[in-house]
Amino acid sequence: MPFMDKSTDRLIKHFGTRRAAILKISEALEVHEETVRLWFVDGIPLSRAIDIERGSGGVVTAEQILREAKAAA
């Protein structure tokens, strides 16, 4: 099973399923679903932290993404 960070887990919980989370975030950020799917595998890029916060309606915050990246480093 691919690594799931806390941010992606929260997105899945909020949107109901992994597929729904990928679809909603890709729509909100106007990026291809495959791009977002890779974020669920590899981690959310720091350059997209604010976009994810906005696209999730604040369910996942940019601060949370930055903390997780720092802890993983």
Side-chain angles (χ1 to χ4, degrees):
M1 177 174 201
F3 173 73
M4 300 292 286
D5 66 32
K6 292 178 184 176
S7 294
T8 54
D9 288 341
R10 289 185 73 177
L11 290 170
I12 292 168
K13 184 176 179 181
H14 176 71
F15 290 113
T17 65
R18 178 184 167 124
R19 177 78 183 117
I22 291 169
L23 182 62
K24 294 292 186 180
I25 294 298
S26 69
E27 288 174 354
L29 277 55
E30 298 180 348
V31 297
H32 196 278
E33 290 175 38
E34 180 65 13
T35 300
V36 178
R37 188 192 69 74
L38 290 173
W39 296 348
F40 275 62
V41 174
D42 299 331
I44 298 169
L46 296 181
S47 61
R48 291 304 217 147
I50 292 173
D51 297 331
I52 293 290
E53 182 172 346
R54 289 180 184 150
S56 71
V59 169
V60 171
T61 66
E63 181 181 347
Q64 180 182 8
I65 293 167
L66 295 173
R67 274 192 315 230
E68 289 171 3
K70 184 177 179 180

